[in-house]
Amino acid sequence: MNQSIAHIAIVVRDYDEAIAFYVGKLGFELVEDTYQPEQDKRWVVVRPRGSGSTSLLLARASSSHQEAFIGNQAGGRVFLFLRTDDFRRDHAAMIEAGITFIREPKQASYGMVAVFEDVYGNLWDLVQFTDGRS
């Protein structure tokens, strides 16, 4: 059996605002942005550059119930883990782009890590693994 996770949906307030952050600030690539007239929504997919792996589906909140989860996808815990092959390069680029880090870089047993927040407040780890973890 060969399975993988294709997309992770992340609830956003506005498609263009989310694209501006993920593509404009984080440097992700915009894989697809297709209008779906039958549902009056867009299919917006982004992913880290150089990655053929899991991507994010930017899903605009369509109800007040969904809006309540914007920025709180994981109940205040780190939600996603952005693996890098050069922590210092990417951390510096993210600082330059205005990304907010809420935990400064530290060397952990598994690698170099820092916690940042996305445009909505979801927490992410920027991590360069050194112990073979994936």
Side-chain angles (χ1 to χ4, degrees):
M1 181 184 304
N2 186 5
Q3 297 179 331
S4 64
I5 295 175
H7 310 294
I8 295 173
I10 186 166
V11 183
V12 301
R13 182 177 23 253
D14 176 81
Y15 295 117
D16 295 323
E17 174 184 58
I19 290 169
F21 178 81
Y22 288 106
V23 175
K25 289 190 175 230
L26 278 186
F28 285 17
E29 66 179 318
L30 180 61
V31 176
E32 185 174 356
D33 184 354
T34 305
Y35 180 64
Q36 298 178 325
E38 65 282 355
Q39 298 176 355
D40 190 30
K41 65 181 182 180
R42 290 158 58 184
W43 181 262
V44 180
V45 178
V46 298
R47 71 174 170 226
R49 293 193 181 279
S51 168
S53 61
T54 305
S55 56
L56 294 179
L57 173 66
L58 304 179
R60 186 188 69 207
S62 60
S63 70
S64 58
H65 177 74
Q66 291 176 4
E67 287 173 359
F69 292 94
I70 295 172
N72 193 22
Q73 297 277 147
R77 294 188 57 130
V78 169
F79 175 51
L80 296 167
F81 300 78
L82 182 59
R83 180 177 49 213
T84 178
D85 63 348
D86 188 333
F87 182 91
R88 295 190 195 295
R89 174 199 66 210
D90 291 347
H91 181 260
M94 292 167 76
I95 294 288
E96 179 71 25
I99 304 296
T100 300
F101 279 84
I102 62 162
R103 283 190 221 135
E104 292 304 312
K106 73 173 190 174
Q107 184 67 49
S109 62
Y110 53 84
M112 190 66 135
V113 63
V115 178
F116 69 95
E117 60 185 12
D118 69 15
V119 65
Y120 301 109
N122 292 303
L123 300 181
W124 290 63
D125 270 3
L126 173 65
V127 60
Q128 182 176 8
F129 293 111
T130 56
D131 66 356
R133 292 184 191 196
S134 53

